[in-house]
Amino acid sequence: LNVHHIVPRKSPLVTQSFIHSPINQITLCANCHRIEHYVLENGSESERKEHVKRMLEINGFKWDNWTSSAFYAPMCDIRKLNKIEFL
């Protein structure tokens, strides 16, 4: 099993207290973990949004306003902001 940060741990768009909270972490099998990273890398905005929303809801995070793209920003934007490679 792998621990997956639903909102990427290097995201400067979401507070660090949320990034490192248990609500933002989920245990996935290795294959599902790779799928989630693939979607964050290559998915459309709607695919990223749906994956992040579903994972957070599984963890009990209730938020009715899913218009904030900070939670499902594309990895290329996060990389540009941090100037880091995807981990």
Side-chain angles (χ1 to χ4, degrees):
L1 293 175
N2 300 159
V3 175
H4 173 64
H5 286 81
I6 300 165
V7 175
R9 60 190 169 130
K10 297 293 185 175
S11 178
L13 306 170
V14 179
T15 65
Q16 287 298 303
S17 60
F18 179 83
I19 295 289
H20 297 296
S21 72
I23 205 82
N24 189 44
Q25 299 171 33
I26 193 165
T27 304
L28 300 172
C29 71
N31 190 47
C32 290
H33 196 196
R34 283 189 295 276
I35 290 169
E36 290 304 315
H37 279 263
Y38 181 84
V39 170
L40 286 173
E41 274 287 323
N42 303 300
S44 67
E45 181 176 347
S46 62
E47 289 171 324
R48 289 190 318 272
K49 181 178 182 179
E50 184 57 37
H51 276 248
V52 168
K53 181 180 178 185
R54 186 180 71 240
M55 293 286 166
L56 288 172
E57 286 177 347
I58 288 169
N59 272 2
F61 185 71
K62 303 295 182 204
W63 183 39
D64 296 328
N65 181 9
W66 285 99
T67 58
S68 175
S69 62
F71 282 84
Y72 52 91
M75 286 307 302
C76 59
D77 290 354
I78 291 172
R79 266 196 226 102
K80 286 177 191 173
L81 291 170
N82 284 314
K83 297 181 183 167
I84 62 166
E85 287 298 317
F86 183 66
L87 300 175

